[in-house]
Amino acid sequence: MKKAHGKLIFGTFLKDRGLRFTKERSVILQKTLSCSGHFDPESLYLQIREAGLKASRASVYRTLSILCECGLIERVKKTERGTIYENMFGHEHHDHMLCIQCGNLIEFYSEELERLQEALCKKQGFQGTGHNLEIRGYCRKCRKKKR
Amino acid sequence: MKKAHGKLIFGTFLKDRGLRFTKERSVILQKTLSCSGHFDPESLYLQIREAGLKASRASVYRTLSILCECGLIERVKKTERGTIYENMFGHEHHDHMLCIQCGNLIEFYSEELERLQEALCKKQGFQGTGHNLEIRGYCRKCRKKKR
DNA sequence: ATAAATGCAAATCGTTTGCAACGGA
DNA sequence: TCCGTTGCAAACGATTTGCATTTAT
């Protein structure tokens, strides 16, 4: 999936269902695609305002929903600060260990895990587009402190 | 970790920091421990009321926080309907594939995945207590519909 | 007795929605 | 022109919090 095609994909998706490609949607699409990796609605909105562009929070939320529907972005997870989205052009990994004591987040990548997931998907006839593994527990430091 | 010890663990935890073991906390602890697996604050609250017991929503929320701190339960994930908690006596698996088209949730279990996670934790000096793998994508049905 | 906990209602915060004005097609 | 879209502000739903009252210790 090439970045330059985002606009085309979105445009086609909209036309197909009689929706309109407005200035606001264009701005939001653009900012969304230029995010490398994760983002949330509020910071996207602020980014738009800082850039002197125009789009209300309501339009940001509404447009993000459509972008999800057409597969250009995905809702990755919910946090206390809101929903985290992911631009599907960024091929990031979301595997991490979260310390439930100190909140420390240890990100990691495992080729073996990737392979395993592919195998699991194939078994279910599932076409994976992204994933997110969270292992909760105690990090090295907090393990020591515990006793 | 044996269920009968929940009260002891909680009681000790409270005493240690000068907090009190109130009727409400006792009720909430009890209902929490008797949940097999997942639950959310609202349904726990309703369960309490249906049982003719007494504890306000505020107390439920406040107590769940403490139970998290002392490790008897864990916040597993946030959804549109609220936070999902897990009673740590239930050793459930949280691995699933989520269809981003139809919302279908396919739960699965993989021994290989469990082993791999243990290995990854060991490498990081991390003591895992629970995990949650979400693979997003298109389920068999929606894959067909797509074209 | 004293500090902590409770219940309630009001406050927050992210997100959604109703509606009148606006603007692509 | 004809709907779809926008921005705003009000509505929402989950969670938190201020406060006067109750209660464990």
Side-chain angles (χ1 to χ4, degrees):
Chain A
M1 196 188 269
K2 286 166 60 192
K3 182 167 169 178
H5 291 160
K7 193 160 185 170
L8 182 57
I9 294 172
F10 192 38
T12 305
F13 183 89
L14 292 174
K15 187 162 292 179
D16 281 358
R17 38 203 90 193
L19 303 178
R20 292 166 188 174
F21 205 140
T22 63
K23 286 185 187 64
E24 289 80 0
R25 287 181 178 166
S26 171
V27 164
I28 295 165
L29 169 67
Q30 199 180 304
K31 283 292 172 197
T32 289
L33 296 184
S34 70
C35 276
S36 58
H38 293 166
F39 64 93
D40 62 279
E42 181 64 13
S43 42
L44 189 72
Y45 169 71
L46 293 176
Q47 234 182 280
I48 288 170
R49 307 220 76 204
E50 278 166 28
L53 299 169
K54 193 177 76 61
S56 68
R57 246 179 279 260
S59 289
V60 167
Y61 280 103
R62 287 189 276 232
T63 302
L64 289 180
S65 282
I66 302 179
L67 288 171
C68 277
E69 283 177 50
C70 77
L72 285 170
I73 65 177
E74 269 186 29
R75 266 178 264 263
V76 172
K77 77 178 295 193
K78 296 217 163 211
T79 72
E80 26 303 313
R81 280 150 223 98
T83 301
I84 306 295
Y85 288 80
E86 177 191 4
N87 162 348
M88 295 315 287
F89 293 116
H91 295 298
E92 305 230 334
H93 296 290
H94 311 298
D95 303 325
H96 62 257
M97 296 173 192
L98 174 66
C99 181
I100 58 183
Q101 187 93 98
C102 69
N104 186 22
L105 198 72
I106 303 162
E107 306 209 54
F108 67 87
Y109 171 74
S110 159
E111 183 58 48
E112 200 175 343
L113 178 58
E114 303 295 318
R115 266 204 313 272
L116 179 54
Q117 292 191 39
E118 254 177 67
L120 291 166
C121 284
K122 188 176 283 182
K123 198 193 297 184
Q124 305 283 347
F126 194 86
Q127 176 189 0
T129 61
H131 71 265
N132 188 212
L133 169 60
E134 177 169 286
I135 303 181
R136 295 174 303 284
Y138 298 92
C139 69
R140 206 189 302 267
K141 274 183 204 159
C142 291
R143 261 174 100 172
K144 283 181 193 156
K145 270 186 249 160
K146 273 212 300 178
R147 83 177 39 268
Chain B
M1 195 190 269
K2 285 166 61 190
K3 180 167 172 179
H5 291 161
K7 193 162 185 167
L8 182 56
I9 294 173
F10 191 37
T12 306
F13 183 89
L14 291 174
K15 188 161 291 178
D16 281 358
R17 39 204 90 194
L19 304 177
R20 292 163 188 178
F21 206 141
T22 63
K23 286 185 187 64
E24 289 80 359
R25 285 181 179 167
S26 170
V27 164
I28 294 164
L29 169 67
Q30 198 179 306
K31 283 291 171 197
T32 288
L33 296 184
S34 70
C35 276
S36 59
H38 292 167
F39 64 93
D40 62 279
E42 181 64 13
S43 43
L44 188 73
Y45 169 71
L46 293 176
Q47 234 183 280
I48 288 171
R49 308 220 76 202
E50 278 166 29
L53 300 169
K54 193 177 78 57
S56 67
R57 247 180 278 261
S59 289
V60 167
Y61 280 104
R62 286 188 275 232
T63 302
L64 290 180
S65 283
I66 302 179
L67 288 170
C68 276
E69 283 177 51
C70 78
L72 285 169
I73 64 176
E74 270 185 30
R75 264 178 265 265
V76 172
K77 78 177 295 194
K78 296 218 161 208
T79 72
E80 24 304 313
R81 278 150 225 99
T83 301
I84 305 296
Y85 288 80
E86 177 190 5
N87 162 347
M88 295 316 287
F89 293 115
H91 296 296
E92 304 232 334
H93 296 289
H94 311 297
D95 302 325
H96 62 258
M97 296 173 193
L98 174 66
C99 181
I100 57 182
Q101 186 93 98
C102 68
N104 185 24
L105 198 72
I106 304 162
E107 306 209 54
F108 67 87
Y109 171 74
S110 159
E111 184 58 51
E112 199 175 342
L113 178 58
E114 303 295 318
R115 267 205 312 272
L116 179 53
Q117 290 191 39
E118 255 178 66
L120 291 166
C121 284
K122 187 175 284 182
K123 198 194 296 187
Q124 305 283 346
F126 193 86
Q127 176 188 0
T129 62
H131 70 266
N132 189 211
L133 169 60
E134 177 170 285
I135 303 180
R136 296 174 302 284
Y138 298 91
C139 69
R140 207 190 303 267
K141 274 183 204 159
C142 290
R143 258 174 102 172
K144 282 181 194 155
K145 269 186 252 160
K146 272 212 300 178
R147 80 178 35 268

